Amino acid sequence: MKFASFNLFQYVAPEYYWYKREPRASYTEAEWIQKQAWISQRLSLMDADVIGFQEVFSFAALQQLCAEVGYPYFAIVDQPATLPEDPQVFISSIVALASRFPLNNIRSVPLDPAVQTELFLPDGFQFSRLPVCAEVETPLLGEVTVYVLHLKSKRAASLDISYQDEIPWEERGRDTLLRLSRANVASLLQRGAEASLVYHRVSHDLTPHRQRQIVVLGDLNDDQHSTPFEALSMQEKIYAIGGIEQEAWPEDFIPKLHDYRLSDSFRIAPTTRQTVRPFTHIHHGAGSCLDHILVSNALNPQNGRAVAEVMDYQVWNQHLDHDGVPNRLQSDHGQVCITLIPTHDRANEPQLGRPIKYRDAKQLATRQDFIDLAGGIYQSSKHFRQWSSADKWDNFWSFFFDTAYGWIPSIYGSSPVDELYQKQQHSIEHIIPLDFLDRYLAYTHQPRHVRNGATTNPLNFAPSERGLNAKRSNFAFDFDGDKIVRPFNLDLHPETFDSTGFDAEHEWVIPSRNRGDVARALLYMLLVYGIDELYERHIDKLVHWAKIDAPSAWEIAYNQWVYGRLGIRNPLIDTPDKVLPLLNNKELMHAMVLKSNKAQRQI
């Protein structure tokens, strides 16, 4: 399911005005048709299921537009105000909520007495724009509580003043600076108070049910480093509670504390790791992020008890500085959109290693045959980053200390694994890197247990020297036989290391002695997890490596060890009579060929 926040920029039907009766504060019929068409097109492209709108004046027109494009459910809790002396001039906007699914218990946010008292808010305090809150009855996630916000802007209203001609310019300038100083603080106080009031209501919602799914959609008129943002998310670290420091807190308390916090969807979405936060607004040539989507801990991928999770985060901002169309005919904000998927059905949780039907029915049948032959798609309740030393020993290292398997070298080098382990220079190398697996499987919306299983699948592991593992990091492998321009020879028995390192394109060159090991792991992971990120020549190269470097005795023994423990195996690690028919099956092997222009995620 998708949720989006959409600031419409002065959504005012023709013959009405925003703030002042002047031509530039209104739309002609032709301009309105163009703006309506752009909004409809953007809604279609985003394909969100639930949308929070800001800067709404002509709400009836917006409700009609939403109904026409597939959003029959619509909610507001306030009416836009107009000038008393001129009802065609709007002076305050409202927010709105549109949904493909039914909305229940439509309401706003009340004034919390504790906030009013401690922040010295006046008796007549009001939100600059009343938030909308409602329960959305979704078929995929169940009930989701949605808030739509538009916090007070930074605009200094007190600067809207004219001076008598006899007032000297020096005095006018001084007075303007004084007013601006007060107005900036007044706006911050209003915005901060609004944020705190919403957080208090969210906390109230979570008190009886900490696993409640809550999504906050809004133009906060501030970035993620601001005080209002912090007052709403409450992610700042707490060092003491009631004078008691963290070391003395109950053991199970910290997870409960997270249940009352809201998470920034950009920071927790797997697809945004190592990316710069996109801007949603441009002011005087500088981009910033004013539009945000926050979620409760029940929707946080980092929460092991989450009932659903943020899988993707997008900002639609291309129109702001590229298309040459005035913002008033589109919007002066980018739209933020997130994708949520359920984690798993705990009542019907599949067993680890048990075959499951692959999600994409368009995949070749031969790929499904391979999955079945491999024992299914491995699943796990833990991500690799949650593994303890004991987990790593039980699921990997313990294999290497049975002498019946003989001398076992590390990947990329030739140092024996037992010596690396003895000298604490050992490391588990993921052939397909963790970060890639997290991003790709999130992008394809794989269930949590499948994604976790990919990161802990021991058939993607290889024993490595810690330094070489760190050097390779998540850089792509070289498939072209390039020469090494940056070799890495380490202190531990340097004479035993084969040449390995980076080529001129900064790709990692695999030593010839273990190219088959790497190829078999790559082909297995690509087929089982439906990863179509390599070109045909890359697949052919991997097949060639797997043929000329047959599985060693220890590799076959390791495959059997994994199968005995988890019920999964790599069919490419077996005797030649069983492996060659698979490698020669071009229909099977080329099922992994890149099908679209996604090379930026290439392994």
Side-chain angles (χ1 to χ4, degrees), residues 104-117:
N104 298 322
N105 191 21
I106 299 167
R107 59 200 185 275
S108 189
V109 175
L111 185 62
D112 188 282
V115 178
Q116 183 173 17
T117 300

Side-chain angles (χ1 to χ4, degrees), residues 182-200:
R182 299 192 298 269
N184 286 339
V185 174
S187 293
L188 177 60
L189 289 173
Q190 174 79 22
R191 200 161 54 253
E194 292 176 353
S196 183
L197 284 167
V198 174
Y199 174 73
H200 277 66

Side-chain angles (χ1 to χ4, degrees), residues 276-426:
V276 176
R277 184 187 292 265
F279 60 85
T280 68
H281 186 66
I282 297 176
H283 182 65
H284 295 318
S288 62
C289 184
L290 304 182
D291 305 83
H292 305 271
I293 300 180
L294 305 175
V295 298
S296 61
N297 204 36
L299 302 174
N300 186 347
Q302 299 167 9
N303 174 16
R305 299 173 292 110
V307 296
E309 53 192 339
V310 178
M311 277 294 96
D312 193 27
Y313 172 99
Q314 286 182 292
V315 171
W316 299 76
N317 60 9
Q318 302 89 341
H319 63 286
L320 292 180
D321 62 351
H322 290 302
D323 63 4
V325 179
N327 286 336
R328 68 194 301 273
L329 300 181
Q330 299 177 341
S331 173
D332 62 341
H333 283 248
Q335 292 73 54
V336 182
C337 185
I338 66 168
T339 301
L340 294 176
I341 67 169
T343 49
H344 58 275
D345 183 352
R346 293 184 184 275
N348 299 293
E349 185 173 308
Q351 297 297 311
L352 303 188
R354 191 73 59 84
I356 62 174
K357 187 176 180 181
Y358 194 74
R359 294 178 72 249
D360 189 354
K362 295 180 181 179
Q363 297 294 339
L364 295 173
T366 49
R367 175 178 268 178
Q368 182 60 55
D369 291 342
F370 185 90
I371 293 171
D372 294 338
L373 188 61
I377 302 175
Y378 179 61
Q379 301 171 69
S380 172
S381 60
K382 280 187 177 182
H383 189 282
F384 184 79
R385 293 188 177 92
Q386 297 173 301
W387 266 16
S388 64
S389 297
D391 290 323
K392 293 175 182 177
W393 171 265
D394 292 339
N395 293 287
F396 185 65
W397 293 115
S398 60
F399 164 82
F400 297 96
F401 293 89
D402 187 329
T403 55
Y405 302 142
W407 183 79
I408 302 174
S410 61
I411 199 85
Y412 310 143
S414 300
S415 289
V417 171
D418 58 353
E419 185 171 356
L420 289 173
Y421 196 91
Q422 180 184 9
K423 296 185 177 181
Q424 297 296 297
Q425 292 185 320
H426 60 293

Side-chain angles (χ1 to χ4, degrees), residues 66 71 307 476 532 542:
C66 288
Y71 299 92
V307 296
D532 58 349
L542 290 173

Side-chain angles (χ1 to χ4, degrees), residues 481-501:
D482 293 338
K483 292 182 179 180
I484 298 170
V485 296
R486 288 182 57 200
F488 292 102
N489 293 313
L490 304 176
D491 295 335
L492 183 63
H493 299 302
E495 71 280 358
T496 68
F497 278 85
D498 293 332
S499 295
T500 191

